[in-house]
Amino acid sequence: MNSQLELLIKVQAIDTRIQQSEAVQAKYNQEIAELDQALQKEETAYTAEKEALQTMEKEHRRLERALEEALSRRDKAQDKLFSVKTNKEYTAALHEIEGIKESIKKQEDGILEVMEQSDTLKKTLKKTEEILKKIRGEYGRKKKQLDDELTCYLEEVEEQKVLRTSLADAVNPQALLDYTKLREAKNGLAVVAAQYERCMGCNMKIPPQTYNLVITSTEIIHCPSCRRMLYIEPEPENVTQSPAGN
Ligand SMILES: [Zn+2]
């Protein structure tokens, strides 16, 4: 095979790998973004639940204070009952006590309700906390795994890039320019195999005389249909035949 072509096949394999590495990085970024999103969602829920609980606890304290205040007002009103002088004053004092009692009942009911809601919120918060802990753990593990994999992969790609430079340096400039233009125009495939007298790039039949040139010529031969550079791929060996010695 033309030595330039051999070099270009290697260069193309590396170029394909470099191109794939961009897709791998994009996939990695997407996976991390998805993890981030899941984590953020749970963190937002946790913050909202925590705030709701704080509000509830604040309301609880407010109701407790109101209750205390109502109880003290009731005691004072009850004391007043003993010092009233007229029936009218007595009725008024009783009326006041009734009002205060209603208020006390309201505070007490409110406190019970708030305590129930707080309990529910605490349970929800605990669950969210557990989920959050799990997601954080998974996030850390997964991110580390992805980081390690990507780092390893990118190191390999960097090595390939160095190799590519030395290979490309050995290709004659015109052939390299042709290759570059073809790769851009032909979806990343500039050098393709000719198999069974067909171009493996465009799948078109190669005329016999051209095909013979691909086999024999020391020049680079292009596919008449797609202009890609052609090389002969050794045809697969007959695999049904038993290996010698068996
Ligand atoms: Zn072709």
Side-chain angles (χ1 to χ4, degrees):
M1 194 192 294
N2 179 306
S3 65
Q4 296 292 300
L5 216 42
E6 268 180 62
L7 286 169
L8 283 174
I9 291 167
K10 286 176 187 161
V11 169
Q12 182 171 269
I14 293 174
D15 283 343
T16 304
R17 187 138 175 79
I18 291 168
Q19 205 174 21
Q20 281 166 349
S21 78
E22 283 155 17
V24 168
Q25 276 190 74
K27 193 168 162 275
Y28 162 88
N29 289 338
Q30 201 200 326
E31 277 184 51
I32 290 292
E34 278 166 15
L35 282 175
D36 267 335
Q37 225 176 2
L39 186 63
Q40 255 174 38
K41 200 181 140 208
E42 237 23 75
E43 269 172 352
T44 306
Y46 181 74
T47 307
E49 284 162 13
K50 214 171 169 180
E51 275 170 10
L53 183 62
Q54 278 166 354
T55 306
M56 209 51 86
E57 280 168 347
K58 210 170 147 192
E59 176 65 1
H60 188 179
R61 287 195 296 275
R62 188 191 70 77
L63 287 169
E64 290 283 3
R65 277 196 304 274
L67 178 64
E68 252 173 62
E69 193 243 350
L71 286 172
S72 122
R73 267 196 296 135
R74 185 198 60 191
D75 290 348
K76 274 181 202 155
Q78 269 168 347
D79 287 346
K80 216 159 74 182
L81 271 186
F82 300 107
S83 57
V84 292
K85 289 180 181 79
T86 65
N87 259 345
K88 200 181 163 193
E89 276 174 352
Y90 188 75
T91 313
L94 278 183
H95 192 70
E96 192 193 350
I97 289 169
E98 273 317 302
I100 296 169
K101 277 183 179 169
E102 259 176 52
S103 165
I104 288 170
K105 176 93 176 63
K106 224 171 97 186
Q107 317 298 351
E108 283 172 344
D109 288 349
I111 287 169
L112 278 178
E113 203 183 310
V114 160
M115 279 168 81
E116 252 175 56
Q117 286 184 19
S118 291
D119 274 352
T120 311
L121 275 172
K122 274 178 196 163
K123 279 178 197 154
T124 312
L125 195 64
K126 197 163 181 286
K127 262 187 212 159
T128 309
E129 212 166 20
E130 278 162 16
I131 293 172
L132 193 59
K133 207 177 148 191
K134 209 175 136 205
I135 291 182
R136 277 192 188 130
E138 273 171 19
Y139 179 88
R141 273 194 299 278
K142 184 87 181 157
K143 193 171 184 311
K144 192 182 177 309
Q145 185 201 340
L146 286 173
D147 275 342
D148 289 351
E149 276 174 19
L150 191 72
T151 306
C152 186
Y153 183 77
L154 291 181
E155 271 169 16
E156 196 197 315
V157 170
E158 282 313 305
E159 281 168 21
Q160 297 269 303
K161 281 182 183 170
V162 175
L163 180 61
R164 188 205 187 272
T165 308
S166 63
L167 288 168
D169 282 347
V171 180
N172 87 52
Q174 188 53 51
L176 191 63
L177 187 65
D178 281 352
Y179 163 84
T180 307
K181 281 185 185 166
L182 275 168
R183 225 183 99 81
E184 275 168 22
K186 303 290 177 187
N187 205 21
L189 266 186
V191 193
V192 295
Q195 245 181 350
Y196 310 110
E197 295 184 26
R198 273 188 194 282
C199 162
M200 292 292 114
C202 67
N203 211 29
M204 294 300 279
K205 194 121 179 81
I206 302 163
Q209 59 271 44
T210 311
Y211 191 71
N212 281 337
L213 280 176
V214 179
I215 299 169
T216 56
S217 177
T218 51
E219 300 290 309
I220 294 175
I221 307 300
H222 294 255
C223 166
S225 305
C226 70
R227 302 294 308 147
R228 287 183 176 100
M229 302 172 180
L230 295 171
Y231 66 92
I232 296 294
E233 179 118 272
E235 288 183 16
E237 282 172 36
N238 194 344
V239 287
T240 56
Q241 216 171 29
S242 294
N246 267 10

